[in-house]
Amino acid sequence: MTNGKEWITPKKALCWLALILLAGFALRLVPILSYDMGPNTFSDDNGYLTGGITFANHGYVSYEDTAAQTTATGPGMPFLLGALFALFGYDAAGMLAVHMAFASIGLITAIGAYLLGTLLRGRLTGLLAAMFCALEPGLVSVNSLFLTETPYMCLNLFVMYCFIRCAKEWNLRIYWTGILCMLIGAMFKGLILMAPLAALPLILRKKETLKAWLPRIGIAVLAFVIGFSPWWLRNELVLDRFVPFTANRGDLQLLGSYMGWGYPEGTYDETVLELDAEAWMNGTQDDVELRFARRGEVGRERLAEWFRTHPLGFVLTHLIYKPFKLTTAHLMQEPFVSERYSQYLWWGALIVALWGLICPRFGKKAEPGYYLPALYLLAATLITAVYAPLPRYGISHFPLWLFYTAAGTADVWRRIRRKG
Amino acid sequence: MQKKEWHTALCMLCVLMALAYGLCRFAVYQNQPERLAAFEDRFLDLTTLGISAGEENQLTVSERKVTLSWPDDAQAAEMLTAVQPLPDGCRNLQITLGGGGSMNSWHKERWGYEAWLELRLYKGEEQIASDCAEMPLTASRSDRTRIYTLQAETREADGWQLCAVIRPVDGRIQHGELLLNNWEVDAR
């Protein structure tokens, strides 16, 4: 895939990859086996746990409230966890087994990083990217809980790999693998629809390529519409309205209006208390969907007020402050190693990633498509900064940053070897 | 695009359409009023289970939630249901419920007390089988629950009882509470 000499043979690379995956699996056992039933932070992960068991038993997509259907979550987690619970059960032993199986998705992400790294920069970069994805404490921590980030990151990486690979060199099987990954990934987060767009600059390079790709893009869109139609029908039956992915972003929008420079006065907790009191007065305290939607309304009102009163602060917050926080914040949901240590590690990884981004200017030239993940990172971070400015949502971008960290590390390694 | 690509696309879209059709049928089936009603009203009414607690323990029972609390320096606490009849021909009983309470654990560490759930099966007045599970209460707020499940082969049993036991880790226990909600019984 890459030009230049590869000093690691494919066979050797596979042996190294197997070792990396083994080490990654062992590391993932640490936070899981510390608890009798696997870790649980009683946050979103508890909602998914409950939703998975409800789906396994009754076939309904629900979240925290086991007696109500929901559109607060996509169908991905209930399907995936429901299948795992049906397979392993959810007594103490079953719960640990499901945690292990779920955390192992993080290892498939490492394989995706290997493929992407090898495709865009060579086998050494691929191996290093796999190693970083398998061993990075924040990723291990997120993988050990039941969060959408784990399957989403994995599928996102594969979608990007498949479409970039097809744009460089057409392959029917990989194209369909990419479409299926996109379809399944959208069940976890709709943002995955941005991943195939990463390949667009490569496709737009030549007129002939674009001509061949137009029907392919049409087929991908059609496959998505067909694949998602049951979810749209189900949402129509449950809510009486069209919901493409999930209905609730309300709480996140409200939270986002308390972060940055020059936002309107008040605190998130105060507003939530006021809105909860309002819900009690209206008799809607048990309608979670409605309460979250109301938070969204207030959040949007606050964002509009912010833009009116401090337009510069608003713009700078969304262009600089929130994207910076999303990128640099390190999340240790399950503190199995020191939080400070892993934060330093992440800062180090980002610095090396920056070198990875610029090093092709000073040595081994960049393969076509090398900067596509960076373009995607930029767009995805800016979009996430608007709709979900919480550190947790930045972790989905870790594997792509780690690809550039790997490229930077490989470049430094090559330079040292050359000097030696 | 080559012929092979068109053929593959047609095949894959047909497979997707068949899958989507099946799932649409399932969505419509699941949203039939009687199925929905069964889903929404599937929990046991806890006020009908004759739940009782030990002396010095305080018990609050509502339709879907029961809270057991105990005072400072208690030696143990317990709450249990009256023995409930098993349906005829039932071979396996599974009870799923949400459990939470005052935080008592982090990783493998326990302090204050241990909370256990026990499902007992009876033939007449004799206990013939049981299943139990510890509830490590790791939430910082006592109203946050996670799902627990207990199951047992019913064999010749004709009744079941659910019991929650609080045992001290080192001598006496301090004031705390245990919350159990959304009890679901699956008798097959």
Side-chain angles (χ1 to χ4, degrees), chain B residues 58-79:
Chain B
Q58 203 183 338
L59 198 62
T60 320
V61 187
S62 63
E63 245 178 63
R64 274 171 60 177
K65 187 167 92 175
V66 52
T67 311
L68 169 75
S69 54
W70 52 91
D72 266 337
D73 277 340
Q75 281 184 320
E78 187 185 55
M79 55 151 259

Side-chain angles (χ1 to χ4, degrees), chain B residues 58-179:
Chain B
Q58 203 183 338
L59 198 62
T60 320
V61 187
S62 63
E63 245 178 63
R64 274 171 60 177
K65 187 167 92 175
V66 52
T67 311
L68 169 75
S69 54
W70 52 91
D72 266 337
D73 277 340
Q75 281 184 320
E78 187 185 55
M79 55 151 259
L80 70 170
T81 66
V83 177
Q84 304 296 313
L86 275 169
D88 288 337
C90 164
R91 289 181 178 182
N92 198 296
L93 181 74
Q94 179 175 294
I95 297 188
T96 304
L97 48 81
S102 315
M103 190 174 178
N104 77 337
S105 57
W106 187 247
H107 292 231
K108 295 282 179 197
E109 198 185 334
R110 300 282 181 279
W111 59 85
Y113 62 92
E114 284 179 359
W116 286 81
L117 276 177
E118 189 181 358
L119 170 65
R120 297 169 183 165
L121 294 179
Y122 289 91
K123 185 183 180 189
E125 289 191 357
E126 185 194 354
Q127 187 185 325
I128 57 168
S130 73
D131 182 29
C132 59
E134 198 210 336
M135 292 186 286
L137 305 171
T138 53
S140 55
R141 268 174 41 195
S142 60
D143 60 341
R144 289 179 167 169
T145 59
R146 76 177 280 176
I147 281 187
Y148 294 92
T149 182
L150 295 164
Q151 65 175 2
E153 277 180 37
T154 48
R155 282 178 259 168
E156 294 146 3
D158 51 24
W160 65 270
Q161 181 182 46
L162 193 80
C163 176
V165 182
I166 305 298
R167 288 190 206 140
V169 171
D170 40 18
R172 286 173 173 272
I173 51 181
Q174 294 204 320
H175 166 72
E177 64 176 19
L178 184 77
L179 164 72

